[in-house]
Each structure stands twice: as C-alpha cells, then as structure tokens.
Amino acid sequence: MGYEIIGITVLWLFLYGYLIVASVDFGAGFFAYYAKVTKKDHIINQLISRYLSPVWEVTNVFFVFFFVGIVGFFPDSAYYYGTALLVPGSIAIILLAIRGSFYAFENYGSKQSNVYMFLYGATGLLIPASLSTALTMSEGGFIVEENGQVSLQYMELLTSPYSWSVVFLAIVSVLFISASFLTFYAARANDTEALKLVRKYALFWGMPTIVMALTTFIALGQHNERHYENMMDLWWMFGLSVGFFMIAMWLLYIGKHYGLAFISVMLQFFFAFFGYGISHLPYILDPYINIFEHATHESMGIALIIAFIAGLFLLIPSLILLMKLFLFDADYVKGKK
Amino acid sequence: MLEMDPVLMSRLLTALTLGFHIIFATLGVGVPLMICIAEFIGIRKNDPHYLLLARRWARGFVITVAIGVVTGTAIGLQLSLLWPNFMQIAGHVISLPLFMEVFAFFFEAIFLGIYLYTWDRFKNPYVHWALSIPVVIGGALSAFFITTVNAFMNTPEGFFLGEEGVAAINPIEAMFNPATPTKVFHVLASSYLTVAAILAAIAAFHLLRQKRKKTSAEGASVYHKKGLKLTVSIMFVFSLLTALAGDVSAKFLAEHQPEKLAAAEWHFETEENADLILFGWLNADNEPVGVLRFPGLLSFLAHGDFNSEVIGLEEFPEEVTPPLWVHYMFDLMVTIGMFLVGVSLLYLLFIKIKSVNEHNKWMLWLLVLSGPLAMLAIEFGWIYAEEGRQPWILRGVMTVEEAATSSPHVGLMFLLFLALYAVLGTICIIVLRKLFRNNPAEEELEKKYPTIETGDK
C-alpha cells in the first residue's frame, strides 16, 4: 500500500471521528435550545452540559487535524480549495468561532443568556450545513480553473439539487447521531425523564436520515456518474450501513441496550462514510486533485505517517483516560462528582 | 476598501487574525506553567492560598483558551485561504511540524479538560497536579512546532526548488533550519515572561485597590501578596532568559539574515565597531537624527566583539530590504524587555531590604504597568519578525505578493473578521470581569477553606 493510500485513509478516519464527535456536540446545541423554547430545558440541559464541558475543545481538534493533514499529504488542495473557498470557508470559521467561544462564555462565565443559547443552537445546524458543501464541491463541476484562475461557481452550487440534498442529509444526520448518543448517556446516568425525551428525538430523526441518504444517493447519480457507478460496486458497504441503522432503530424502539444502539449508529455512518470515500477515489477534487498524481513527496509522506503513528501512541491512552473519567465513570455521569 | 488589492488585504487580514490570536496563544503557553507551579507549592506547603491561585487562574484560563482555540482554527484555515500558493510549497516541505502542532494541541486540550474537571477527585493531590504537566508540555510543544514553521519562512532549507517545483525534500532539515533554535528560545522565554507579568499586574492591581479602599480583608491581601511574590520571581527569571534569547537572536540575524538586523538598527553602511542607535528619526537624506547612540555596541550585539564588522543595508538591492520603520518595533520591544528586568529586580531587592515596603504604591503601579507592556512587547516583536522578513514570505524563494490569493473578496472578509474579533474581545473581557467580580478571592477563601488563618505569615 502506497503512502498516498495510507495518508488518505488516516485523514478520512479523522474526518469520520470529527463527524461523530462534532455531530454529538452540534446536535446537543440544537436540542438544548429546542428544549429551552419548549420549556423542557430543566430535563436535559444539565445532562448535556455534563458531557460537553470537558470534551468540547477536543472536538475542534479533529477538524483542524483533517485540514492540516490534507494540506500536508496533498498540498494542491491548499491551492484549489484555498482559492475557491475563501468566502464559504471564512463564514464557516466565523460560525465555529462564535460557537466555540460562546460555549465557554455560557458555561464558565455568566448566567444563562438567551442570545448565547440561540447562537449555540443555530450554529449547531449551520456549521454542518456549511462544512458539508466542501464535500459537495469535491464532486467536481463547482470549482473550475480557467486561464490559471481558480474560482467557485456559486450559481451552480446554489441551484444544484445534489448540493441541497447533502446539506439536509448533514443536518438530519447530526440530529440523529446526537440524539442516539444522548439517549445512551441519559440511560447511563439513570435519568429516566431525560431518557424519555432524548429517545423520542432519536426515534424521530432516524427516518429522515435514511430518506435523505437515499435522496442524496440519487442526486449524486445525476451529478457525477463515475462516482455513482463506483458506489454501486461497493453496494455491500451501503447494505451494511442500512443493516446497522435498522439494528439501531430496533434497539431504540424496544428501549434496551442503548450503548449497543449508539455503536450501531456509529457503524452505520462508518460504512456509509467509507463507502462514499472509497468510491470517491482517486480524486480529492474531481478532476484536479488525484491522490496518486498530486500527493506530497515521498520523504514528507513517510515523515507524516511516522509522526502520525507516534502521535497515536500519545493520544489514544489520553483519549481513553478522558473517556474513562467522563464517559464511563458512572458517578461522574450521574452528577455525583 | 472592498475593491482593494487582494495582496494588501490578505496581509491585513492575516495581521489582524494573528495579532489577535497571539495574545491568547501567549497566554495558552504561559498560564499552564504558572498554574502548575502554584498548585505544586500549594500542595507542598499545604497552603490554600497557592491552591486558590491555581484554581482561579485555571478558571480564567478556560475563557482565554476558548478564544485561542477558535482564533487558532481561524488562522489555520486562513493560511490556505489567503496564501494558497505559499501553502502549496509549505505543504510539501514544512507540513510535518504543522501536523505535529495539531497533535501537541490535541494532547494539551485533552489534559486541560481532565485537569479542569477533576479538582478534588483524587485522594492524592499530586495526581491532580501531575495532570497539569501534560498541559504545560503540550503548550510548549505547540509553540515549538509552530515556531519552526515561522523559522522556516526566514531561513528555508531542506528542499531544492527547480523548474518542476520543489524536490529533494528533507522534512527534518526543514524543521530544524538555522533560525529554529533562537526563535524557539525567544518565543518560549518571552511567553512565560509575559504571562508572569500579566498575573503579577493583576495581583498588584488588587493590592492597590485594597489600599485605596482601606478594606480590612486581610486574607485576600495575603493571598494577593503571595501571588505577587510568586509571579514576580518567575518574571525575573524569564526576563533574564528573554534578554539572553534576544541576544542570541541578534547574533543569529547578523549571520543569517543581516538585512533584518540592519533595518532594525538603521545600519546602512557595512562597518567595524558599529554603533547601536535607539529611537530617533530619519532626515531627508535618510540619516538617523535625534538618536541615542551607544558606540560599538551593535558590533558587540551582533558578534560579541566591539570591533567586529556588521553588514549594512547598502549590500542589498533595495527591493529586497524590509521597511525601515521596523526600527521602532525593535526598539520598543527591547526597551520594554529591559523595563521588565528592572521592575522585577527592583521588587525583589525591596523584599531583601527590610526597611523598604515592597508593596508601596509606586512599586505596585510599575508592576501593574508591566503586564500590558509585556503583551505589547510580544506584539511589537512579532510585527518586527514579520515585517523584517519583507518582501519575502519564504526568504529568497517566494515573495508575499506571489503567495497571496487572487480572490477579490478579501476586503469583505477583513471587515467580517474585524467585527468578529471585536465582539469576541469585548465579551471575553466582560465575562472575565463578571467571573471574578461576582466571586472575589476573599469570599472564595472563606467558602473553600474556612479554617484558614488570616494575617501575615
């Protein structure tokens, strides 16, 4: 296996990690606000903040990791995406900045403020929407290079059915992943009232997720046939994804084994995300960036992989410690510590 | 403004983001060390005052870390958005430390989260203290890695640039380029110095306020006095180290980047026994007037010998020399650095001399000034470092102009980010004030440690 493949696999894994942990965080923001509006905040907001407070910074790093890594392994992506994404990228940064800092202000600073809560909830939906458009653009046709000038075709992007279905898929997925995690967390905390509420959210957002996934699949067929055909060849991955979705929904429905249900949701997205990613190859940006032709030099590629492995030895034990203290420590989860 | 040159606007936006980010980055590197030291002393001496110092610093730190994280994310993305051509080369040659910086930060973030939420959770207090060490190390490593990238921009090595782009890449050589050791030393020492000065300024400010109000909150007064003594001692150590780092940096510049040193010193002609000049201005013939002149000192600063030869700006074509106003940035940075050495030394002398009260009004005022001045020195030093490299983004390889994006919308983005930072900065200050004003140290002392003895001890 070449270092290009290892590189893209590592990056994709990090993006998958971000997809899961950030979805939990984004969705929780929305639910917290929604609960406040419907006057149910006393039921779940304590639970949400107990989980999010120690981990929110870690979430952001997954994302930084991905974009720093992609520039390292595939430097041309800085050139194409960097030039084309100035405006949407800046907007995404501003949303992330508002969310991150307001989270800290809200939680460590003063008393609850409606403005913070609103921004926290709203950015929870807007950020996944804006970040997901980068994936849309990677399909080609939206970023073009003419006479050495790279530009983004805004009209095409805003009028494309594929682009919009990705946005909606991102939003409903975030809510589904987040609700199923919170269900597990509430069950762990033995908080029956909160459990009842978040389980309802999870069951509610399951169906839209699978419907939007299917819609997006069809829209992709119209937009990029090559990719669509490749996805068809990997049908079994998507089949597994649907299978895990059904297991998750069943467990949520019968109200047992919420931990297993959340793992099934993770696996559902794992197979869908990797199926999508593998069939996307060899392009990072269709047709300009090809992982085999535009990877960094071998010496740098190998140095990055070594750094990555060394880094994992440091990070995995630390992450396990973090999870042990805040996720699996029953007393902490129940609010006794 | 919206139609302005993308190169200029890209520079302004980068300057804006970094100028704002480095305040929080500096705090992010320095505060963990202070917390770590205070908690250790607190456990060791079984002194609640020091434990409370650590707790309160940590509490304020969370807010500044949040802004550091989001502005750090912003600059990380902006590098690609504003300087796509630079990042294309940098991606090939210098992405290793960029990548590792993220690891270091990840490590820091994980342990910071653990540290903040596990006060009182362990039986052995040293376990909690030990959790601060990875935070200190993570912060220092982040600074180290990111500084190697900046060093690389000054002395790019470890690759070959041919017709076909970059080749023969050696990531380790690129990372450990000639500018790395002095730059890393300077950045770390000055970060610790600045944070110690800021925390000292806060303690001094509280002592002054108590003096004015003549309150009898003995406990709080002892608390702030201990905080002051600790931070000023740390400040003194790091002010000396920073001065040493500045000295080796000047020697590095004289050898590897003489035009940067010469521009800062308004040193136009190559000569032996060169004078060091401070401040002043340039007359119509480009001659420095109204300056403070130290005979031979520039030669000494550059090579450790009063008679050595220092290269002047005349040896470089005008289009590759930095702007001459960097002289003021350099002078201001050095002056403040010297001021910090002086103030911290004076305070420590006052402690030794029994007949002088080290908490007299003037001493406290000088210490209050030290904090903001130290942060200003960081900004001046950084502006000097960046402007002194002009017109290059990669010295001798690529100019800033070649590196910038061609997108016409940078002006609008500049306004958006300006608004964002204004809001973040304002709310940060409001939140910090609320956080500490609603929960003053004296109240917290009584609540948390009801058995504490008051009075000097």
Side-chain angles (χ1 to χ4, degrees):
Chain A
M1 198 156 59
Y3 68 94
E4 304 94 342
I5 296 284
I6 300 178
I8 193 70
T9 309
V10 163
L11 292 176
W12 207 241
L13 266 172
F14 265 89
L15 200 56
Y16 169 73
Y18 183 65
L19 179 115
I20 297 295
V21 295
S23 290
V24 171
D25 177 300
F26 292 149
F30 176 78
F31 291 133
Y33 182 68
Y34 179 75
K36 193 166 174 94
V37 173
T38 53
K39 306 246 176 329
K40 288 180 181 151
D41 43 336
H42 59 284
I43 304 179
I44 57 168
N45 285 14
Q46 184 68 21
L47 183 84
I48 289 176
S49 111
R50 280 198 82 69
Y51 165 72
L52 286 182
S53 299
V55 301
W56 70 273
E57 287 171 275
V58 176
T59 309
N60 222 27
V61 192
F62 274 97
F63 178 53
V64 179
F65 217 112
F66 174 77
F67 71 70
V68 169
I70 200 160
V71 171
F73 277 107
F74 307 101
D76 283 1
S77 43
Y79 174 68
Y80 285 99
Y81 283 111
T83 312
L85 291 182
L86 176 71
V87 177
S90 297
I91 292 172
I93 299 173
I94 290 176
L95 292 172
L96 280 169
I98 290 176
R99 183 184 183 77
S101 45
F102 280 35
Y103 180 74
F105 295 156
E106 161 86 30
N107 271 271
Y108 311 116
S110 46
K111 56 181 190 322
Q112 297 242 320
S113 139
N114 279 327
V115 182
Y116 289 176
M117 283 295 276
F118 171 72
L119 286 170
Y120 191 60
T123 50
L125 298 188
L126 290 174
I127 294 170
S130 72
L131 293 182
S132 66
T133 48
L135 285 179
T136 307
M137 290 171 203
S138 71
E139 295 296 340
F142 302 111
I143 296 178
V144 291
E145 185 178 31
E146 278 167 343
N147 312 322
Q149 181 82 17
V150 177
S151 63
L152 177 61
Q153 310 298 104
Y154 284 98
M155 270 319 281
E156 309 243 330
L157 186 67
L158 292 177
T159 54
S160 153
Y162 174 63
S163 159
W164 285 105
S165 54
V166 170
V167 165
F168 286 112
L169 175 61
I171 292 176
V172 291
S173 306
V174 158
L175 295 174
F176 179 55
I177 294 172
S178 184
S180 47
F181 174 79
L182 289 174
T183 308
F184 154 70
Y185 205 64
R188 183 129 192 118
N190 282 338
D191 186 340
T192 358
E193 237 186 312
L195 175 65
K196 236 169 77 187
L197 193 63
V198 287
R199 176 173 162 265
K200 216 165 68 191
Y201 293 159
L203 284 169
F204 179 83
W205 289 106
M207 265 308 142
T209 306
I210 212 75
V211 170
M212 277 323 296
L214 215 64
T215 315
T216 310
F217 192 57
I218 294 164
L220 178 67
Q222 292 165 353
H223 185 81
N224 184 336
E225 203 161 330
R226 178 197 63 81
H227 191 174
Y228 181 76
E229 296 292 326
N230 285 350
M231 275 170 94
M232 284 304 205
D233 294 342
L234 287 172
W235 61 270
W236 58 273
M237 289 192 88
F238 298 97
L240 277 174
S241 172
V242 174
F244 280 112
F245 169 74
M246 293 197 311
I247 294 175
M249 285 304 272
W250 173 248
L251 291 172
L252 285 168
Y253 181 73
I254 59 168
K256 273 183 196 158
H257 308 297
Y258 293 115
L260 207 59
F262 181 64
I263 290 173
S264 301
V265 171
M266 280 175 71
L267 287 171
Q268 172 203 342
F269 280 89
F270 180 87
F271 284 108
F273 194 66
F274 272 78
Y276 168 83
I278 294 167
S279 55
H280 201 300
L281 294 179
Y283 294 108
I284 287 180
L285 174 59
D286 202 346
Y288 299 108
I289 311 173
N290 175 317
I291 62 160
F292 297 109
E293 287 163 34
H294 302 101
T296 187
H297 289 255
E298 198 173 355
S299 54
M300 179 56 86
I302 290 169
L304 288 176
I305 290 170
I306 293 172
F308 174 75
I309 293 170
L312 279 189
F313 277 104
L314 204 65
L315 286 189
I316 289 178
S318 324
L319 273 174
I320 290 175
L321 181 64
L322 185 77
M323 294 207 288
K324 253 182 99 155
L325 287 170
F326 299 111
L327 202 53
F328 301 120
D329 184 318
D331 283 345
Y332 175 81
V333 176
K334 284 172 193 159
K336 287 185 190 151
K337 274 187 184 170
Chain B
M1 176 164 184
L2 299 185
E3 304 303 317
M4 273 168 86
D5 173 26
V7 179
L8 180 65
M9 290 319 294
S10 295
R11 290 182 65 187
L12 284 176
L13 179 48
T14 310
L16 178 73
T17 301
L18 273 176
F20 190 64
H21 175 66
I22 54 172
I23 297 174
F24 299 95
T26 304
L27 293 172
V29 173
V31 177
L33 180 70
M34 308 302 148
I35 295 174
C36 176
I37 294 173
E39 192 184 2
F40 181 75
I41 297 178
I43 299 172
R44 194 70 199 266
K45 291 189 175 173
N46 196 14
D47 184 335
H49 284 129
Y50 288 100
L51 293 174
L52 190 65
L53 275 174
R55 268 179 197 259
R56 288 174 71 90
W57 288 343
R59 205 174 304 144
F61 184 54
V62 188
I63 306 286
T64 63
V65 165
I67 301 188
V69 171
V70 298
T71 52
T73 311
I75 189 62
L77 269 168
Q78 277 179 357
L79 281 178
S80 291
L81 296 176
L82 298 173
W83 310 101
N85 303 312
F86 163 65
M87 284 307 280
Q88 205 178 7
I89 287 200
H92 279 294
V93 192
I94 198 70
S95 54
L96 180 66
L98 276 174
F99 194 61
M100 292 203 279
E101 197 264 350
V102 186
F103 266 118
F105 181 72
F106 211 153
F107 187 61
E108 182 186 351
I110 291 173
F111 279 94
L112 183 63
I114 298 178
Y115 181 84
L116 290 172
Y117 288 91
T118 51
W119 287 96
D120 310 321
R121 207 166 147 180
F122 303 103
K123 280 207 184 80
N124 180 350
Y126 284 109
V127 175
H128 182 258
W129 168 76
L131 289 169
S132 70
I133 295 174
V135 184
V136 177
I137 294 174
L141 278 179
S142 294
F144 166 73
F145 288 127
I146 212 66
T147 307
T148 65
V149 179
N150 188 273
F152 173 80
M153 292 162 76
N154 284 279
T155 52
E157 284 195 0
F159 67 104
F160 171 79
L161 188 68
E163 292 286 307
E164 311 259 293
V166 287
I169 290 158
N170 182 341
I172 302 296
E173 203 184 319
M175 204 171 131
F176 292 95
N177 61 79
T180 294
T182 49
K183 263 195 186 282
V184 168
F185 181 22
H186 199 21
V187 164
L188 282 179
S190 57
S191 297
Y192 294 134
L193 164 62
T194 301
V195 170
I198 285 175
L199 296 176
I202 294 173
F205 178 78
H206 281 285
L207 287 171
L208 270 177
R209 213 170 53 174
Q210 281 171 358
K211 253 188 210 267
R212 210 177 47 220
K213 283 191 188 159
K214 297 206 167 30
T215 50
S216 54
E218 284 275 334
S221 162
V222 178
Y223 165 83
H224 290 302
K225 281 177 185 167
K226 282 182 181 168
L228 192 65
K229 190 173 170 191
L230 174 67
T231 48
V232 179
S233 309
I234 297 172
M235 187 177 147
F236 178 66
V237 172
F238 283 106
S239 67
L240 291 182
L241 284 173
T242 305
L244 178 64
D247 182 62
V248 292
S249 298
K251 291 182 171 49
F252 157 81
L253 285 180
E255 196 175 330
H256 292 273
Q257 247 181 318
E259 77 281 10
K260 195 171 183 175
L261 184 66
E265 306 291 355
W266 285 350
H267 180 60
F268 297 104
E269 284 150 28
T270 302
E271 60 180 2
E272 292 173 4
N273 190 21
D275 299 347
L276 180 78
I277 54 177
L278 276 183
F279 297 106
W281 60 91
L282 290 171
N283 66 13
D285 301 322
N286 235 10
E287 286 160 356
V289 283
V291 297
L292 288 167
R293 191 173 282 276
F294 301 92
L297 196 60
L298 180 57
S299 287
F300 182 74
L301 191 69
H303 301 289
D305 171 3
F306 284 96
N307 291 315
S308 62
E309 184 182 85
V310 182
I311 297 171
L313 275 178
E314 60 176 4
E315 302 201 12
F316 298 88
E318 206 171 315
E319 63 274 14
V320 295
T321 53
L324 291 173
W325 57 265
V326 297
H327 175 68
Y328 296 112
M329 295 294 119
F330 180 85
D331 287 359
L332 286 168
M333 168 183 80
V334 173
T335 313
I336 294 173
M338 291 301 151
F339 172 81
L340 296 175
V341 178
V343 170
S344 51
L345 179 64
L346 194 65
Y347 171 87
L348 294 178
L349 283 177
F350 282 173
I351 288 185
K352 289 270 169 258
I353 306 168
K354 293 284 176 227
S355 57
V356 193
N357 174 15
E358 71 270 22
H359 299 113
N360 69 63
K361 205 166 128 196
W362 296 110
M363 188 69 243
L364 290 178
W365 267 115
L366 284 177
L367 285 166
V368 170
L369 272 179
S370 305
L373 280 177
M375 195 52 94
L376 274 177
I378 294 270
E379 296 279 355
F380 294 141
W382 168 68
I383 295 171
Y384 167 56
E386 295 303 298
E387 281 295 326
R389 196 189 56 241
Q390 299 302 316
W392 303 109
I393 195 163
L394 275 176
R395 184 175 178 265
V397 178
M398 180 187 263
T399 62
V400 165
E401 204 169 329
E402 292 162 347
T405 181
S406 50
S407 168
H409 307 297
V410 191
L412 182 64
M413 297 302 117
F414 178 83
L415 293 181
L416 275 180
F417 278 98
L418 185 66
L420 174 73
Y421 300 145
V423 170
L424 288 187
T426 317
I427 300 185
C428 174
I429 293 169
I430 295 174
V431 169
L432 281 176
R433 278 175 59 124
K434 263 191 179 168
L435 191 64
F436 291 105
R437 184 166 286 179
N438 294 345
N439 186 14
E442 47 269 36
E443 276 180 29
E444 201 178 346
L445 268 174
E446 280 166 27
K447 242 188 281 170
K448 278 221 167 68
Y449 308 101
T451 53
I452 191 164
E453 304 161 45
T454 50
D456 284 274
K457 201 182 108 178

